[in-house]
Amino acid sequence: MLKIAVTGPESTGKSVLSAQIAEYFHTTEIPEYARTYLQNFKGRYSIDDVVNIAKGQTRLIEEEKSRHPQVIVTDTEMTVCKVWTEYVFHRTPHFIEKVLREQDFDIYLLCNIDLPWTYDPLRENPDINEREEIFHLYQLILNDINAPYGIVCGTGEQRFQNALSIIKPYIR
């Protein structure tokens, strides 16, 4: 089984790229659970909400793995939750840290901030300086856990082809 995690800051094309990769490999993408959780959310989310989101994302990933597809593609995973809690709350709950270190993705595709930020009610960081800081947090975390990753750049088909060139060495 080839396990691909698409990760990175908000508004970097993760969902589009995940769908393209899943289609390319004739598999389903694992959606971003945070969107489901926060869709009808009222008020400000808490760190406990991010833990609940992390648990929901983990459950979706494990359910897909249990189906034994040849390839799984997930639109976000624990690096997103770690960055989120670190950036917003300046700490990471044990559950997120534990799952992050136990993840077993073959390759992480870190989406660069070279796409323009677009408004979405669930997005919070349009400032380019914040986006750069958050992108570097992803790099630090991926390096800290010794995760194999490549940075996906470009737009449209070029971005997709860049992602495929990162994935191809991991195909068994």
Side-chain angles (χ1 to χ4, degrees):
M1 176 186 305
L2 175 63
K3 298 172 293 269
I4 303 165
V6 180
T7 194
E10 64 185 23
S11 196
T12 56
K14 293 183 300 292
S15 297
V16 170
L17 187 59
S18 297
Q20 289 173 314
I21 294 166
E23 182 179 338
Y24 179 85
F25 285 107
H26 306 290
T27 191
T28 57
E29 89 177 279
I30 302 166
E32 179 184 10
Y33 185 74
R35 290 211 162 266
T36 302
Y37 187 93
L38 295 172
Q39 188 171 350
N40 298 312
F41 199 79
K42 302 286 188 245
R44 181 81 177 143
Y45 61 84
S46 70
I47 198 166
D48 292 332
D49 291 311
V50 182
V51 170
N52 289 334
I53 289 165
K55 289 176 180 178
Q57 190 71 46
T58 301
R59 180 180 42 77
L60 291 177
I61 292 168
E62 291 307 314
E63 286 171 0
E64 186 63 20
K65 282 182 183 177
S66 72
R67 291 184 184 90
H68 304 292
Q70 289 185 333
V71 178
I72 66 163
V73 181
T74 186
D75 175 0
T76 74
E77 38 55 70
M78 285 313 105
T79 60
V80 174
C81 294
K82 175 147 174 88
V83 167
W84 194 359
T85 56
E86 285 293 322
Y87 195 77
V88 175
F89 302 103
H90 309 291
R91 64 185 179 93
T92 302
H94 176 73
F95 175 81
I96 292 172
E97 193 69 49
K98 179 179 183 299
V99 174
L100 172 69
R101 296 194 178 276
E102 293 173 351
Q103 290 185 143
D104 62 346
F105 291 99
D106 296 301
I107 183 69
Y108 291 77
L109 300 175
L110 175 56
C111 294
N112 203 339
I113 56 171
D114 56 344
L115 297 180
W117 188 88
T118 56
Y119 174 78
D120 178 308
L122 298 180
R123 293 183 179 151
E124 302 178 334
N125 304 103
D127 181 82
I128 188 62
N129 294 321
E130 288 178 340
R131 290 174 52 119
E132 287 173 355
E133 183 180 349
I134 292 167
F135 180 80
H136 291 297
L137 256 176
Y138 276 95
Q139 288 181 297
L140 288 171
I141 291 165
L142 290 168
N143 287 326
D144 181 56
I145 63 170
N146 295 313
Y149 74 95
I151 298 173
V152 179
C153 303
T155 59
E157 182 64 18
Q158 176 192 21
R159 195 174 193 86
F160 174 62
Q161 290 301 322
N162 180 256
L164 283 182
S165 70
I166 295 167
I167 294 168
K168 284 187 179 176
Y170 294 89
I171 297 173
R172 299 176 188 105

